[in-house]
Amino acid sequence: MQTNAAFEALPDTVGTAADRELADAALPFTSGAVKGLPAEATRLLAALRTALADAHVKDLDDLHAPLTELAAAGLQTPDSVEGRRHACRRGRRRGAPG
């Protein structure tokens, strides 16, 4: 699991701004601190965080389509601060270049 300090140290050139915002908002879910997302959504978001942390551009490219589909499917997030933050970031992902 990545620490906040390690994640914040990522250069802005790794992934898109939407990728980085979504990965940051996903941390409470991917760390297990907050429950409420389907397993597949959690898996995709964890893969996004890993791809960004490890600067795996090919993996990021491969994740754009399923993440866009996830956003378009209207994934329900928990009614919590973390859930609303994630929903906001996911909405930005919908308009991000794939």
Side-chain angles (χ1 to χ4, degrees):
M1 177 173 60
Q2 292 292 318
T3 65
N4 280 338
F7 184 75
E8 290 171 3
L10 288 174
D12 286 345
T13 57
V14 177
T16 65
D19 291 336
R20 292 185 300 276
E21 288 177 7
L22 180 59
D24 186 46
L27 178 61
F29 300 98
T30 59
S31 71
V34 176
K35 305 290 184 202
L37 292 183
E40 180 63 9
T42 303
R43 185 194 68 76
L44 283 170
L45 293 168
L48 173 65
R49 289 187 58 80
T50 299
L52 285 168
D54 295 343
H56 291 161
V57 175
K58 168 97 171 72
D59 292 344
L60 285 171
D61 291 343
D62 291 346
L63 286 166
H64 283 158
L67 286 169
T68 300
E69 290 171 15
L70 181 70
L75 175 69
Q76 294 296 312
T77 56
D79 187 17
S80 64
V81 171
E82 295 86 356
R84 288 186 292 278
R85 180 171 179 237
H86 183 265
C88 176
R89 297 307 189 260
R90 192 181 71 242
R92 289 186 185 163
R93 160 111 283 309
R94 201 174 294 142

